[in-house]
C-alpha cells in the first residue's frame, strides 16, 4: 500500500501516527511517497521510518527538491549509523547523480527549488506535480507571471465542478481550466474536451454538487449520464491496436493512443529508440563522442593526422568527407591561443512563414488562436477535417482542435459565414494570435 502525499501536506507527527496505526492493522508492505515542495518531506520520512514504513520514494539529487522528491543522497546520509542504515554506496549514488546532472543541463530542465509559491502549498493545497505542470503551461503561453492568479482560480473551479480530488487526471483537467479562465479573460469561454467529458459524467459521479450554471453553459442542456460510464464504451483494444499499427511497441503504447490519439501518435512517431533512450537519455546525445569515433578507424586516424598538420600550418580549416559523413576541422583563436575544434556544418532553419501559410485574411473575419498549441483539423487521425475551404459554417460550429497544456480544446466559429482560408497546417504548432481561419460573413 502506497501513501501518496502529492501536495506535501503530511506533517512528520501525523505521518508517525498514520504509519503506526496502519502497521497495527495490516501486514502488507507500506510505502510513502512525498513531494518536497515546502520542505516537510525529509522530516516526514524520518518519522515514518521510525514508525516502521517499509519503502520511501526519493530522487537523485539533480532531479530532486522543488516539486520532486527529497534527494536520495540526503536520506541515505541521514540514516548512516542508525538501525535503518540503507547500506547504499554514496560514491555510486554520486556517480549516477553526475550523469543525470548532465542530462538535466542538456535537456534544459531547471533545478528543483522551493519558492514562496511552493511554500504557499500549505494554503492553496495544490499538489507539487500540478504546480510544475502549471508552470510549464504558463511558460508555454509566455504568461508565467500569472501563476498566482491561476492558483487563486483553481479552488474556485474545483468547487464549481463538485470538488474532484486533485490527482491525475483531474488535477490536469481542473488546472488547465483554471489557466484557460485566467488567460482568456472569460471564465468557461474555452472548455477542453476532457472537462466536458467529466461534466457529462464519463469520469464517474462528482464527489460533490456541480454548479448548474456551469453545466448549462458547457453542456448546453445535455444531461449527464446516470449509469456506469464503462457501459457506454464501444471501442475495443483490438480496434486501437489496428489503428496505431506498428508504432505501438507494447500494450501501454496502445492504451496511450486510446486515451490521447493525436498526441500519442505524434509522440510514438518521434520516439522509436526504446525505453532506455526515451526515459534515461542513454543515446549519443548524452553519451558524448568525438566525431572521429563515428567514423571508421582508418578515417579516425586520418582526422588525427590532419589535426596535427593543421596545428603546425597556416591552414585555418579542413573538411573531411567519408560517405554521408562530413566533418570540418576549424582553427579558432580563444584568449590569444589557438584551439582546434570539430565544427558542425550549419543547418538552415526552415522559414517560419513557410510553415504558416495564409497570413492574409483579404478583409474577411479572422479567427485567431487564443493560445500557443498544436493545430488539428480533425477529431482523430484519419477522420475527415471539421471544415474545408468553401464550407458554410454557423456560429458555435467546431472549426478545429487546439492541443495545449496536454488537453484538447475545441475552437468554434464566432460568426456565420464561409471558410475562405485556413491559416495553419494539420499537426503543426501555432502561436498566440496567429490567424487560423478567414471567414467571409454574410
Amino acid at each position: 500500500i502506497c501513501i501518496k502525499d502529492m501536495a506535501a501536506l503530511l506533517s512528520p507527527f501525523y505521518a508517525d501516527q498514520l504509519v503506526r496505526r496502519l502497521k497495527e492493522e495490516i501486514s502488507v508492505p507500506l510505502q510513502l511517497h512525498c513531494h518536497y515542495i515546502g520542505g516537510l518531506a525529509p522530516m516526514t520520512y524520518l518519522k515514518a521510518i521510525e514508525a516502521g514504513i517499509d519503502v520511501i520514494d526519493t530522487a537523485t539529487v539533480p532531479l530532486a527538491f522543488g516539486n520532486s522528491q527529497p534527494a536520495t543522497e540526503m536520506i541515505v546520509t541521514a540514516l548512516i549509523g542508525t538501525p535503518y542504515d540503507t547500506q547504499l554506496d554514496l560514491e555510486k549514488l554520486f556517480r549516477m547523480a553526475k550523469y543525470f546532472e548532465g542530462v538535466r543541463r542538456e535537456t534544459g530542465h531547471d533545478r528543483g527549488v522551493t519558492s514562496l509559491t511552493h511554500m504557499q502549498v500549505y494554503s492553496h493545497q495544490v499538489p507539487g506535480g500540478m504546480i510544475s505542470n502549471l508552470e510549464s503551461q504558463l511558460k508555454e503561453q509566455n504568461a508565467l507571471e500569472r501563476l498566482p492568479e491561476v492558483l487563486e482560480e483553481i479552488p474556485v473551479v474545483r468547487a464549481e465542478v463538485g470538488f474532484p480530488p486533485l490527482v491525475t487526471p483531474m488535477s490536469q483537467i481542473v488546472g488547465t481550466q483554471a489557466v484557460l479562465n485566467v488567460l482568456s479573460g472569460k471564465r468557461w469561454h474555452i472548455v477542453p474536451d476532457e472537462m466536458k467529458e467529466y461534466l457529462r459524467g464519463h469520469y464517474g459521479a462528482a464527489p460533490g454538487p456541480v454548479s448548474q450554471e456551469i453545466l448549462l453553459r458547457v453542456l448546453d442542456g445535455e444531461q449527464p449520464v446516470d449509469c456506469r460510464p464503462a457501459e457506454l464504451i464501444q471501442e475495443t483494444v483490438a480496434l486501437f491496436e489496428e489503428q496505431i499499427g506498428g508504432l505501438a511497441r507494447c500494450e501501454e503504447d496502445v492504451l496511450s493512443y486510446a486515451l490521447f490519439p493525436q498526441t500519442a501518435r505524434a509522440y510514438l512517431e518521434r520516439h522509436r529508440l526504446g525505453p532506455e533512450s526515451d526515459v534515461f537519455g542513454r543515446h549519443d546525445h548524452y553519451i558524448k563522442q568525438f566525431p572521429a569515433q563515428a567514423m571508421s578507424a582508418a578515417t579516425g586516424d586520418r582526422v588525427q593526422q590532419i589535426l596535427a598538420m593543421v596545428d603546425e600550418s597556416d591552414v585555418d580549416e579542413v573538411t573531411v568527407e567519408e560517405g554521408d559523413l562530413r566533418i570540418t576541422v576549424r582553427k579558432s583563436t580563444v584568449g590569444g591561443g589557438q584551439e582546434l575544434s570539430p565544427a558542425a556544418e550549419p543547418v538552415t532553419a526552415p522559414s517560419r512563414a513557410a510553415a504558416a501559410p495564409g497570413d492574409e485574411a483579404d478583409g474577411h473575419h479572422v479567427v485567431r488562436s487564443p493560445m500557443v498549441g498544436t493545430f488539428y483539423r480533425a477529431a482523430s487521425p484519419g477522420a475527415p477535417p471539421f471544415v474545408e475551404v468553401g464550407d458554410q459554417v454557423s456560429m458555435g460550429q467546431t472549426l478545429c482542435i487546439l492541443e495545449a497544456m496536454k488537453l484538447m480544446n475545441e475552437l468554434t466559429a464566432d460568426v456565420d459565414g464561409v471558410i475562405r482560408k485556413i491559416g495553419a497546417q494539420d499537426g503543426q504548432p501555432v502561436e498566440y494570435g496567429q490567424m487560423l481561419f478567414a471567414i467571409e460573413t454574410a
Side-chain angles (χ1 to χ4, degrees):
I1 294 177
C2 181
I3 304 166
K4 192 169 182 183
D5 179 26
M6 303 83 60
L9 295 173
L10 183 60
S11 65
F13 291 99
Y14 279 112
D16 180 272
Q17 295 176 34
L18 177 62
V19 172
R20 291 185 190 278
R21 187 73 179 89
L22 287 170
K23 280 291 185 180
E24 291 174 2
E25 299 293 334
I26 59 177
S27 58
V28 298
L30 277 181
Q31 180 172 348
L32 181 57
H33 176 99
C34 290
H35 289 240
Y36 189 84
I37 310 183
L40 280 180
M43 294 177 282
T44 300
Y45 276 174
L46 289 177
K47 292 299 291 183
I49 289 168
E50 291 178 346
I53 200 75
D54 298 290
V55 182
I56 57 172
D57 290 349
T58 60
T60 183
V61 65
L63 311 180
F65 306 118
N67 297 324
S68 181
Q69 279 74 50
T72 305
E73 299 81 358
M74 170 196 291
I75 303 299
V76 168
T77 301
L79 297 177
I80 291 175
T82 73
Y84 316 106
D85 196 328
T86 64
Q87 302 296 318
L88 294 175
D89 188 326
L90 272 174
E91 294 307 313
K92 291 182 179 178
L93 290 174
F94 285 132
R95 283 203 296 274
M96 289 188 285
K98 287 178 181 178
Y99 170 80
F100 281 105
E101 174 67 9
V103 173
R104 183 192 68 78
R105 290 178 178 177
E106 287 284 343
T107 54
H109 287 85
D110 294 331
R111 190 183 300 280
V113 295
T114 293
S115 65
L116 174 60
T117 299
H118 291 89
M119 196 66 73
Q120 286 177 304
V121 68
Y122 306 129
S123 172
H124 57 61
Q125 300 192 0
V126 175
M130 189 172 175
I131 291 178
S132 57
N133 278 339
L134 293 172
E135 290 175 334
S136 174
Q137 292 167 357
L138 291 169
K139 281 182 182 178
E140 191 177 80
Q141 304 295 327
N142 299 315
L144 185 57
E145 74 281 357
R146 305 196 71 177
L147 179 60
E149 296 176 64
V150 174
L151 291 175
E152 291 180 4
E153 177 70 6
I154 284 172
V156 178
V157 172
R158 188 182 179 211
E160 289 173 326
V161 298
F163 295 98
L166 294 181
V167 295
T168 304
M170 288 311 305
S171 59
Q172 181 70 10
I173 295 172
V174 171
T176 299
Q177 187 64 60
V179 169
L180 293 172
N181 287 356
V182 169
L183 296 187
S184 70
K186 299 178 182 178
R187 300 190 72 251
W188 296 96
H189 176 65
I190 303 173
V191 182
D193 287 351
E194 287 81 357
M195 177 59 83
K196 293 178 182 178
E197 289 295 281
Y198 167 75
L199 293 174
R200 290 185 180 110
H202 291 177
Y203 284 82
V210 178
S211 165
Q212 292 302 307
E213 178 186 352
I214 298 301
L215 282 176
L216 182 61
R217 180 181 301 180
V218 175
L219 301 186
D220 194 25
E222 179 184 349
Q223 292 300 309
V225 301
D226 56 2
C227 63
R228 181 172 174 266
E231 295 175 5
L232 304 175
I233 296 175
Q234 297 180 349
E235 298 90 346
T236 64
V237 172
L239 174 63
F240 292 121
E241 287 177 337
E242 180 182 349
Q243 290 177 351
I244 193 61
L247 286 177
R249 295 187 299 246
C250 60
E251 188 178 59
E252 287 187 4
D253 289 348
V254 176
L255 294 176
S256 296
Y257 172 76
L259 291 168
F260 309 103
Q262 302 274 22
T263 308
R265 178 179 289 275
Y267 175 84
L268 293 172
E269 286 174 347
R270 291 195 305 267
H271 296 74
R272 300 189 182 189
L273 297 171
E276 285 296 306
S277 297
D278 289 352
V279 178
F280 298 112
R282 292 188 59 186
H283 51 76
D284 291 347
H285 185 66
Y286 302 114
I287 303 174
K288 299 296 184 184
Q289 294 182 333
F290 290 105
Q293 290 178 304
M295 306 166 74
S296 69
T299 304
D301 291 340
R302 290 202 298 276
V303 170
Q304 296 302 323
Q305 293 171 4
I306 293 169
L307 282 171
M309 291 171 58
V310 172
D311 192 28
E312 295 172 0
S313 70
D314 295 330
V315 177
D316 292 325
E317 182 176 315
V318 172
T319 297
V320 179
E321 295 188 35
E322 181 179 348
D324 294 332
L325 188 59
R326 176 187 177 99
I327 287 181
T328 297
V329 179
R330 184 177 299 123
K331 185 186 292 186
S332 60
T333 302
V334 181
Q338 288 186 327
E339 178 181 319
L340 294 176
S341 59
E345 290 295 304
V347 177
T348 303
S351 166
R352 192 174 181 83
D359 292 330
E360 299 297 328
D362 295 333
H364 300 312
H365 176 81
V366 175
V367 177
R368 300 189 181 276
S369 176
M371 64 190 78
V372 176
T374 302
F375 175 85
Y376 292 111
R377 294 190 59 198
S380 61
F386 291 109
V387 293
E388 297 279 11
V389 173
D391 285 357
Q392 178 76 40
V393 295
S394 303
M395 183 183 296
Q397 182 176 336
T398 301
L399 301 177
C400 67
I401 287 177
L402 291 176
E403 181 209 349
M405 299 167 282
K406 300 181 183 177
L407 296 181
M408 298 297 182
N409 307 278
E410 288 185 356
L411 188 64
T412 59
D414 54 354
V415 294
D416 297 337
V418 178
I419 300 292
R420 292 306 182 195
K421 282 192 176 181
I422 299 176
Q425 296 179 1
D426 187 52
Q428 296 301 307
V430 294
E431 298 293 332
Y432 172 79
Q434 179 177 332
M435 190 205 82
L436 300 181
F437 298 93
I439 302 177
E440 181 183 358
T441 55

